[in-house]
Amino acid sequence: MVKLVIKPIADVLSEDEIRRKTEEYVSEMLRNAQVIGDDLFLVDKPTGKATPSLFSNDCFVKSLIKLRFGTITNMEGIRNLARGRAIHDLYQEWFKIANPRVHVEVESGIETVDTSGRADIIYMREFDGEEVWGLIELKSSWNLDEDRERRYLKQVVSYVLMLGEAGIDIREAYLVTMRDVRSLPINRLKREHQNVLAELKAIENYQGWPMEPPDPLLCVRCELRPICSTYAIYRGNKSLMNINKA
């Protein structure tokens, strides 16, 4: 039996090394980014295909923008993306060293008929004479509220189902954050979120744009507000309503 070593991110990575790696990635992202507005950058091309990472977004409209136009964000967003990438790379490197007898694959591309994605860590270890496949999803969050946790779990289930279609039966999965390691009940989550791949396909096939933001409160701090047509329509409708009331 091969024991798995897995720890919270903050237990194995220092803020100093995260900061150094983050600065490297910020510089790299700025070199490759396209300036499209005042403090707005296009940092990568559109996916063209729904991916489980879309579940990380707190707004459906954000997912549509990423799908159709690419990842657009401001300087703060670039720093957050760079920090997340730094944490992923450093933790993946640590995990390989901490588990020398475990077969480890990082950022593994998964392709199915309907979707594609990249899992943070996929591993295979021996347990009671069997090969056991597992999955680890990394999140650079200190605290998870109920909504964010639900979205992350849907992302994990998506990868599990996609890997199942590819012939890899994931039997254990973990959600790892800065301060926590959560062992996930895969079978229960698969029952609760059995339609996640259909949800992704629905985003991909969505026609037009929503006329109103799913949660207008999120718009207040959203970096995409200056270019979001849904927000513009929403604000325009509110202005017309206020004029009519007057």
Side-chain angles (χ1 to χ4, degrees), residues 14-160:
S14 72
E15 278 299 323
D16 283 343
E17 60 183 332
I18 292 173
R19 192 177 301 112
R20 284 195 296 271
K21 199 73 170 176
T22 296
E23 291 306 318
E24 291 179 19
Y25 286 143
V26 167
S27 298
E28 179 184 322
M29 292 174 73
L30 286 175
R31 283 196 302 271
N32 298 322
Q34 177 184 346
V35 179
I36 61 171
D38 184 23
D39 193 29
L40 273 183
F41 306 84
L42 176 66
V43 297
D44 63 26
K45 295 179 180 179
T47 61
K49 199 171 186 180
T51 69
S53 63
L54 294 180
F55 283 129
S56 294
N57 292 325
D58 55 10
C59 173
F60 173 69
V61 182
K62 274 188 180 180
S63 295
L64 287 179
I65 290 174
K66 182 174 183 178
L67 183 66
R68 299 179 185 180
F69 300 105
T71 301
I72 299 172
T73 190
N74 56 14
M75 192 62 212
E76 181 183 356
I78 285 180
R79 298 201 69 84
N80 290 336
L81 289 171
R83 177 179 170 83
R85 182 177 167 190
I87 286 172
H88 277 63
D89 286 358
L90 292 168
Y91 190 92
Q92 288 161 348
E93 185 178 319
W94 168 84
F95 185 81
K96 288 180 180 179
I97 296 171
N99 295 277
R101 298 175 59 202
V102 175
H103 172 75
V104 180
E105 299 179 11
V106 300
E107 301 298 332
S108 298
I110 314 167
E111 294 281 345
T112 69
V113 173
D114 290 327
T115 189
S116 64
R118 290 189 176 277
D120 292 337
I121 297 175
I122 299 172
Y123 63 85
M124 187 274 289
R125 66 186 180 112
E126 184 184 318
F127 187 83
D128 289 344
E130 290 186 76
E131 292 184 349
V132 176
W133 286 87
L135 181 146
I136 297 173
E137 181 66 20
L138 302 172
K139 295 298 178 186
S140 56
S141 303
W142 286 96
N143 297 294
L144 297 181
D145 59 27
E146 185 176 337
D147 176 65
R148 183 180 294 182
E149 181 177 300
R150 178 184 58 81
R151 289 187 278 112
Y152 290 165
L153 292 180
K154 290 171 74 172
Q155 187 175 353
V156 171
V157 173
S158 298
Y159 291 133
V160 170

Side-chain angles (χ1 to χ4, degrees), residues 40 218-229 231-232 235:
L40 273 183
L218 295 174
C219 299
V220 175
R221 298 182 60 184
C222 181
E223 69 275 21
L224 299 181
R225 186 172 58 178
I227 61 166
C228 179
S229 58
Y231 178 74
R235 290 294 297 172

